[in-house]
Amino acid sequence: MRAVVAVLLFVTAAHAGLWGVLRDKQQAPEFRGILPSVSYAPFEGTAHPDVDNLPNADKVRADLKTLAPLTRAIRLYSSTGGVEIVPPIAAEVGLKVTVGAWIDKNVDRNEREMLSAIDLARRNSNVNGIVVGNETIYRGEQKIDDLIKLIQRVKSSVNVPVTTGEIWNIWLEHPELASSVDFIAAHILPYWEGFSDKQAVEQALIIYQKLRDAFPGKRIVIAEFGWPSAGYNLKKGNPGPFEQAVTLRTFVSRAEAIGMEYNIVEAIDQPWKFFEGGVGPYWGILNASREPKFSWTGPVEDPAYWKLMGIALLVGVLMSLPILRLYRPTILQALLLSAAANGVGAWVATVFAYWTGHYFVFGSAFALTLGLTLLVPLVLIAMARIEEIAAIAFGRNPRRLLVKGEPAASAAEDAALPKVSIHVPAYFEPPDMLKQTLDAVARLDYPDFECVVIINNTPDPEFWQPIQDHCRALGERFKFINAEKVEGFKAGALRIAMERTAADAEIIGIIDADYVVQPDWLKDLVPAFADPRVGLVQAPQDHRDGDRSLMHYIMNGEYAGFFDIGMVQRNEENAIIVHGTMCLIRRAAMDMAGGWAGDTICEDTDLGLAIIEHGWTTHYTNHRYGFGLLPDTYEAFKKQRHRWAYGGFQIVKKHWRKFLPGASRLSQDQKREFALGWLNWLGAESLGVLVAILNLVWVPIVAFADIAIPDRILTLPIIAAFVVSLVHFVALYRLRVPVKAPQMLGAMVAAMSVQWTVCRAVAQGLITERLAFARTSKGGLSVMSIEFQAFWEAVIGVLLLVGAAVLVVTNNFKEITEIYIFAAVLVLESLPFLSAVAIAILENSRINAFSFWRHASVRTAELIGLRPVSLPAPLGSTQPVASEIRPEAS
């Protein structure tokens, strides 16, 4: 334990050292003077000025008092809507004002703006100029000739210089505009041209010189220059607090050196400009709280950096503490877990920095809150998977696993073995298949057992009569029950079997109708019950028809992962999932737990959890003692998974109160295993679908609306969680599951393919209390459906790929990194849906291939005068595999 503590301290120290190394501290030219002018808009909050964001005289006065030590003048962009109060207040604090008249396509508003601007210039001696229109030509809201007429009209009415504000290239392209103004007010914003922050100042100086060369003798003012402190990149232009500080300090220093007239955009952040590509709110040298974002002297650094480091380290330490509760963790195990915990801490600090450094309208705040809320369980799931990787790859070997060949209990060898009653429920099962199951039971190498076969709600004698006869032939140990109108599905049938169980049977064994058990099943596992605390022993499921088709091959590999990985690890905490077949239960434990309950459709898991809640010990072995049949079709596979997921959600609703303090005998580790297990399965699959659909809704907003888009704090964790899941699957399969690489990859596809199915089951569990028990079709009774079995998966998967393509295409001229990351997320999210489509296509190809060859054989027979006779389907198949051709009778 001391070594583990040392590892945690080492990782924490390394994390702190990494923050220290990565601390950004840059040098930039110092500026100790006063800025000649800054843009000012007297609006607060996120409300648009045209709605109800009216300036308040007291707040404007406070703003201008804050700005007076920083600048000699301010530039306005309009003269109505409350902005007209600014010039007289600016005079109080000694600030000059360049008045703006906002010009667009609204003729009436344009008239009001110009009249107000003229009036302000006449009434306020501190007005040093008027800017008629702001990028009006660039926005296409006025023609050159019409704008010139408006400028001339204003010029004739005032005694101050009049101009218009336009992007620098507009002036070069329209020299007639330059001739009509008193001075050129050029906007140079290298960010919007895709230049990097390191290129911005040089680019501005080059353009300034171009304007001087094009208009010699004309007064030239750089009316807008700035750099955003937050938002999204545009090509090489990366916003950021360091980038803003260094760029502005460098520009001001160079501009002052050459005597340039300039105006910095802008004075104070404007959160209402959220629609300007995500960077709109962040051009101010003061934030929305009127606090300086950076210092004009000294090194450029983040004053909140150490606070963020403290948050990251604190979260990392807190998330590392559970490592101390693990059973004898190894150094490598502790190292991986602590590193992951500190990684989460760094992410939390990044989220905190993003949240406190951005402004949000209701929609974006809601979207961010929802995204983070969904990411919390995703992060917990990823951490649980990392813990499992650490335990299996670097931890100690399982200590509670029942291993064949090792004593299952410390009982004396000559101790009397308890009587076992084996229950085999059946519902419309193929008689030949069920006979194989009973024959295997008859071969059990165990001295004292009985077998109760109960066929329920199966009136057709073709299904039950052969089994009744077979039980008679097998002898007195086999009891046959044919029960009609049984309620409670499988649980109801098992309750009837309990009524017919021998009074002296102490252990109840459950096997499904398709399971062929090995002779040593009871001999090896029943001795574990010599410990009076043991209430249940579970052996894994396995299948004997995995080579029936490629689909069955990958399905079998998918099942194996649960029994060789998840169940082994859960067994370490005495928290296994009971899955019915191949299960041995102490009768006293079953009675204490209330027996088979019919209020869920996963009665086996329900009973197993109830037994554990009463404090009984459980054991698991991953040795295969029985082999059943796989679902006949992909449709049956999905229906089985739907039943398990729906039943699992029923169990969550039924048992969650037992997880409250003092409500049961569950230990904290058991509660944790079950909670994480439900979250890992039901939650992860449902979250995956929900997040994918929400991202689809977000695609058109990102692609076509110029507003904030998903940030890396939301998208990168999704990618990281996917990578963790991929490593978890591959690494643990390679370490624990004895399958070859092709079957492992197929198992991955099969596992992903049921995401939509599980999500649909959880959704139905939220709105319904009970669904009918759906039997999993096995033994060749079901025929493959001609309907495509992944319609909705195909729709969602294709939409996700189309959404990714739309994002990439519309992002070509922006090259915003976050959009490319978002597109990659959509592609990853499409994989589970496309997996279902791939398997459905594979199954449809089986149907089509069979139809083709059958049609070909029939047609050939007709041509040569033979008649086809269908051969019976072999056990475990879904269709006749061939036709026997016989000559017609002469």
Side-chain angles (χ1 to χ4, degrees):
M1 187 56 66
R2 285 194 297 270
V4 171
V5 172
V7 168
L8 301 190
L9 293 175
F10 168 77
V11 172
T12 303
H15 187 194
L18 193 60
W19 276 83
V21 170
L22 296 178
R23 182 192 176 199
D24 200 354
K25 186 176 182 179
Q26 300 182 25
Q27 300 297 323
E30 294 188 347
F31 177 68
R32 299 180 182 275
I34 298 177
L35 296 171
S37 177
V38 295
S39 298
Y40 172 68
F43 309 115
E44 292 187 306
T46 57
H48 196 282
D50 287 341
V51 182
D52 57 1
N53 198 347
L54 298 178
N56 175 282
D58 292 336
K59 291 182 178 179
V60 170
R61 185 170 287 106
D63 284 349
L64 297 184
K65 285 181 179 179
T66 301
L67 292 175
L70 304 176
T71 183
R72 290 187 289 270
I74 58 174
R75 176 190 169 186
L76 305 178
Y77 289 85
S78 64
S79 296
T80 63
V83 182
E84 63 272 13
I85 69 175
V86 174
I89 298 176
E92 298 175 9
V93 295
L95 288 175
K96 297 290 186 180
V97 179
T98 301
V99 171
W102 186 262
I103 302 298
D104 53 24
K105 294 181 179 180
N106 189 324
V107 176
D108 293 337
R109 176 174 175 164
N110 293 347
E111 185 68 16
R112 291 195 304 271
E113 283 282 336
M114 289 190 298
L115 291 177
S116 180
I118 293 169
D119 184 63
L120 289 173
R122 289 175 176 175
R123 290 176 178 270
N124 298 278
S125 60
N126 63 327
V127 172
N128 61 2
I130 297 177
V131 181
V132 181
N134 184 69
E135 300 182 0
T136 310
I137 301 301
Y138 172 74
R139 295 196 311 271
E141 294 183 338
Q142 290 287 326
K143 295 181 180 179
I144 290 289
D145 293 340
D146 294 334
L147 180 60
I148 290 174
K149 290 177 182 178
L150 297 179
I151 293 170
Q152 291 173 341
R153 177 183 166 189
V154 175
K155 284 177 64 175
S156 65
S157 303
V158 297
N159 294 320
V160 296
V162 179
T163 186
T164 186
E166 279 295 345
I167 297 175
W168 62 271
N169 59 291
I170 297 294
W171 294 102
L172 294 175
E173 294 167 5
H174 300 282
E176 68 273 23
L177 184 61
S179 301
S180 67
V181 298
D182 294 320
F183 65 94
I184 291 174
H187 296 173
I188 304 177
L189 297 170
Y191 166 82
W192 289 115
E193 298 181 55
F195 289 98
S196 72
D197 56 291
K198 294 177 175 57
Q199 299 170 315
V201 174
E202 199 62 40
Q203 177 68 9
L205 294 176
I206 291 172
I207 293 170
Y208 176 67
Q209 188 59 46
K210 281 186 179 181
L211 292 171
R212 291 185 64 182
D213 293 341
F215 306 106
K218 193 82 173 182
R219 179 189 172 199
I220 296 173
V221 178
I222 304 304
E224 281 189 0
F225 180 88
W227 196 265
S229 62
Y232 308 105
N233 76 289
L234 182 64
K235 296 183 179 179
K236 296 180 180 179
N238 283 299
F242 285 89
E243 289 80 359
Q244 182 188 51
V246 174
T247 299
L248 290 183
R249 283 172 57 168
T250 304
F251 172 79
V252 169
S253 176
R254 298 283 297 275
E256 293 286 332
I258 63 174
M260 178 195 296
E261 291 186 73
Y262 63 89
N263 171 76
I264 296 297
V265 60
E266 59 192 321
I268 302 169
D269 279 351
Q270 299 293 296
W272 60 273
K273 294 183 179 180
F274 61 88
F275 47 83
E276 292 184 357
V279 298
Y282 305 106
W283 291 83
I285 59 175
L286 306 180
N287 62 27
S289 299
R290 279 55 180 170
E291 300 166 337
K293 291 183 181 178
F294 59 88
S295 172
W296 290 91
T297 60
V300 179
E301 53 188 344
D302 181 6
Y305 188 79
W306 301 119
K307 180 194 295 184
L308 297 178
M309 186 187 80
I311 293 172
L313 294 178
L314 178 61
V315 173
V317 168
L318 292 176
M319 293 196 67
S320 295
L321 291 179
I323 300 172
L324 300 176
R325 298 184 67 253
L326 297 177
Y327 174 76
R328 297 178 63 199
T330 66
I331 291 177
L332 287 177
Q333 185 179 358
L335 185 65
L336 177 58
L337 292 176
S338 185
N342 280 272
V344 174
W347 174 70
V348 171
T350 306
V351 171
F352 178 81
Y354 185 90
W355 190 274
T356 56
H358 287 74
Y359 312 110
F360 302 103
V361 295
F362 173 78
S364 59
F366 174 79
L368 182 64
T369 303
L370 178 60
L372 292 175
T373 302
L374 294 175
L375 281 180
V376 169
L378 193 67
V379 169
L380 291 177
I381 291 167
M383 288 296 293
R385 289 174 177 171
I386 292 173
E387 180 182 349
E388 200 166 33
I389 294 171
I392 294 175
F394 305 118
R396 304 183 190 280
N397 291 330
R399 67 188 190 281
R400 297 188 72 248
L401 187 67
L402 296 180
V403 179
K404 183 173 176 57
E406 296 182 5
S410 57
E413 292 184 4
D414 57 349
L417 293 172
K419 183 172 185 174
V420 179
S421 180
I422 300 169
H423 296 176
V424 185
Y427 169 74
F428 277 105
E429 303 291 357
D432 289 341
M433 178 187 77
L434 186 49
K435 286 180 182 178
Q436 291 184 31
T437 298
L438 300 181
D439 289 342
V441 172
R443 293 192 295 269
L444 283 171
D445 182 12
Y446 192 79
D448 193 7
F449 74 90
E450 67 172 6
C451 181
V452 181
V453 183
I454 176 166
I455 295 183
N456 71 97
N457 300 332
T458 308
D460 189 344
E462 290 188 7
F463 286 89
W464 61 261
Q465 187 66 58
I467 304 304
Q468 183 181 49
D469 296 340
H470 198 66
C471 286
R472 288 173 179 166
L474 290 174
E476 295 181 354
R477 282 183 168 182
F478 288 79
K479 300 177 181 178
F480 176 80
I481 305 171
N482 183 20
E484 297 292 339
K485 299 180 180 179
V486 176
E487 296 182 357
F489 308 109
K490 184 177 178 181
L494 289 171
R495 284 197 297 269
I496 295 174
M498 285 298 299
E499 295 172 0
R500 295 285 298 275
T501 297
D504 59 343
E506 299 179 36
I507 309 298
I508 308 298
I510 311 296
I511 58 173
D512 284 346
D514 59 309
Y515 263 77
V516 174
V517 296
Q518 299 298 297
D520 51 0
W521 173 42
L522 298 183
K523 180 182 69 175
D524 285 359
L525 298 184
V526 170
F529 289 95
D531 182 349
R533 298 170 299 175
V534 174
L536 185 148
V537 176
Q538 178 73 65
Q541 296 182 24
D542 207 338
H543 308 92
R544 59 185 187 272
D545 59 342
D547 57 352
R548 195 194 326 174
S549 70
L550 178 59
M551 185 190 72
H552 291 87
Y553 180 67
I554 64 176
M555 280 197 303
N556 201 27
E558 194 268 344
Y559 285 116
F562 173 74
F563 295 108
D564 284 330
I565 301 170
M567 285 288 283
V568 173
Q569 293 308 115
R570 295 178 69 100
N571 182 58
E572 293 300 289
E573 304 298 342
N574 189 26
I576 62 174
I577 297 292
V578 177
H579 46 85
T581 191
M582 304 306 300
C583 180
L584 297 171
I585 307 174
R586 189 185 294 273
R587 191 172 191 171
M590 181 183 292
D591 292 340
M592 182 181 291
W596 298 105
D599 53 353
T600 73
I601 59 174
C602 284
E603 71 296 321
D604 41 17
T605 305
D606 182 20
L607 176 60
L609 179 54
I611 289 172
I612 295 173
E613 287 169 350
H614 282 82
W616 291 93
T617 297
T618 64
H619 282 295
Y620 176 72
T621 177
N622 64 345
H623 180 76
R624 273 53 174 173
Y625 285 100
F627 299 86
L629 296 177
L630 290 159
D632 283 335
T633 63
Y634 182 51
E635 179 182 17
F637 176 65
K638 291 176 66 177
K639 285 182 177 179
Q640 182 190 61
R641 200 56 56 96
H642 182 279
R643 173 165 58 85
W644 289 352
Y646 184 85
F649 195 77
Q650 283 182 311
I651 291 169
V652 173
K653 292 194 295 183
K654 178 179 177 180
H655 287 263
W656 69 267
R657 292 178 183 82
K658 298 293 186 180
F659 285 68
L660 300 176
S664 71
R665 298 182 65 181
L666 289 172
S667 69
Q668 290 301 318
D669 289 332
Q670 287 174 322
K671 292 177 182 179
R672 177 180 175 278
E673 284 295 326
F674 278 103
L676 284 177
W678 288 326
L679 181 64
N680 192 24
W681 181 37
L682 302 176
E685 306 292 8
S686 302
L687 276 174
V689 173
L690 181 59
V691 171
I693 292 175
L694 289 175
N695 283 341
L696 271 178
V697 174
W698 198 244
V699 165
I701 299 173
V702 173
F704 304 112
D706 206 17
I707 64 174
I709 60 176
D711 192 81
R712 299 179 205 193
I713 61 170
L714 298 179
T715 51
L716 288 181
I718 295 175
I719 296 175
F722 179 85
V723 172
V724 168
S725 298
L726 183 64
V727 172
H728 176 268
F729 195 98
V730 174
L732 300 194
Y733 257 75
R734 300 299 291 172
L735 290 170
R736 284 279 177 86
V737 187
V739 298
K740 295 181 179 179
Q743 190 173 14
M744 178 191 70
L745 296 177
M748 187 188 304
V749 173
M752 289 194 296
S753 75
V754 290
Q755 185 183 74
W756 172 256
T757 300
V758 172
C759 178
R760 190 164 53 87
V762 171
Q764 288 177 318
L766 286 170
I767 61 177
T768 63
E769 289 300 321
R770 217 173 155 187
L771 292 178
F773 184 96
R775 172 189 174 273
T776 302
S777 298
K778 299 178 181 179
L781 284 185
S782 63
V783 177
M784 287 185 285
S785 173
I786 61 173
E787 296 179 0
F788 187 67
Q789 291 301 313
F791 173 77
W792 286 111
E793 292 94 326
V795 170
I796 298 173
V798 169
L799 285 176
L800 286 167
L801 292 181
V802 170
V806 168
L807 289 174
V808 171
V809 170
T810 57
N811 191 38
N812 270 343
F813 69 96
K814 300 176 184 176
E815 299 180 14
I816 299 175
T817 303
E818 277 80 0
I819 292 183
Y820 287 129
I821 296 175
F822 186 34
V825 166
L826 295 183
V827 173
L828 292 181
E829 289 176 334
S830 73
L831 295 181
F833 301 98
L834 299 180
S835 296
V837 174
I839 296 179
I841 291 174
L842 175 65
E843 182 161 77
N844 272 33
S845 68
R846 291 173 60 209
I847 299 173
N848 295 334
F850 169 74
S851 299
F852 171 80
W853 289 112
R854 183 178 183 182
H855 175 76
S857 64
V858 170
R859 183 60 179 155
T860 302
E862 291 175 348
L863 291 174
I864 63 176
L866 301 178
R867 60 181 179 87
V869 178
S870 295
L871 297 176
L875 182 63
S877 69
T878 57
Q879 296 283 358
V881 295
S883 293
E884 180 183 359
I885 306 300
R886 298 178 184 171
E888 291 286 353
S890 57

